[in-house]
Amino acid sequence: YGWETHVVCRHYGYDADADQLARDVHPDVTVHYLGQKTPRATSPQPPSASAGWKRRLKEGVDKWIVPDGSLVTWKRLAPQAAELVREIKPDVVLSSGPQHSIHWLAERMARAVGAKWAADFRDPYTIDVRFQPKGWLAPLRMAHRRFERSIYHGADITVHAIPLHGRWASRAYPGRK
């Protein structure tokens, strides 16, 4: 429809080539990687002796961060994202999650240039048991609900992939698009 589409994402160890983008997304999409480009290991390395406890420690710490552990990375990359969005000057910033912390970054990108912000929920957030803190982390539920509320009140429009989530949101946040 004549739109110029830019995708902003972290670098996960490989670059999408033009053929992949043309086939799977669109030939005119431009991809911008935030952060340092780190190549993915070509041969599988056996896990180190400390890999298991490091992974469990990271998963434990991630559960304390609202909305999720990716927020740490997005906060670190926010200055680069703000600089990039000022170059692109989009009319609309679309964020799609989970991870739900991507909405934090998208809101700041949209506000930096006065763009509209569309928050896309591919999965529900606080009504989905997969994202609810359990056990001794249950007190964090209020913080998660506060973060979710900030998305609904800050976004110009929200999109829900799951119809039940959309119906719930229209009741939980009446008057919001």
Side-chain angles (χ1 to χ4, degrees):
Y1 299 107
W3 297 328
E4 187 177 316
T5 304
H6 295 263
V7 174
V8 179
C9 60
R10 289 173 26 199
H11 194 266
Y12 290 96
Y14 55 89
D15 295 337
D17 65 40
D19 291 337
Q20 288 173 310
L21 289 171
R23 180 185 67 242
D24 299 334
V25 184
H26 192 276
D28 295 330
V29 166
T30 303
V31 176
H32 305 273
Y33 295 103
L34 296 177
Q36 183 178 358
K37 285 190 174 187
T38 53
R40 181 172 281 194
T42 54
S43 62
Q45 300 290 328
S48 68
S50 62
W53 70 264
K54 284 181 182 176
R55 180 182 48 77
R56 285 191 298 278
L57 178 63
K58 181 188 179 309
E59 288 171 358
V61 169
D62 282 353
K63 291 180 182 182
W64 279 99
I65 300 171
V66 175
D68 54 68
S70 295
L71 183 64
V72 173
T73 300
W74 295 129
K75 284 187 174 190
R76 181 175 47 81
L77 296 173
Q80 183 183 358
E83 184 179 316
L84 180 62
V85 78
R86 282 192 277 279
E87 290 174 21
I88 296 171
K89 296 181 183 102
D91 295 317
V92 177
V93 173
L94 168 68
S95 55
S96 185
Q99 301 283 334
H100 297 292
S101 59
I102 191 63
H103 300 305
W104 178 90
L105 181 64
E107 179 178 23
R108 276 137 191 89
M109 292 172 70
R111 300 304 172 241
V113 292
K116 297 291 185 184
W117 171 36
D120 174 25
F121 288 91
R122 286 177 284 141
D123 284 332
Y125 181 15
T126 61
I127 66 169
D128 191 327
V129 295
R130 296 174 298 164
F131 302 111
Q132 292 176 1
K134 296 167 187 59
W136 54 278
L137 292 170
L140 289 175
R141 285 185 186 163
M142 292 304 289
H144 283 278
R145 288 187 182 121
R146 190 171 38 252
F147 181 80
E148 179 181 65
R149 191 170 37 255
S150 75
I151 295 169
Y152 282 99
H153 288 287
D156 294 292
I157 191 168
T158 54
V159 180
H160 304 87
I162 310 296
L164 175 68
H165 188 214
R167 289 191 297 274
W168 171 85
S170 68
R171 289 186 175 143
Y173 301 100
R176 300 303 304 159
K177 291 184 180 181

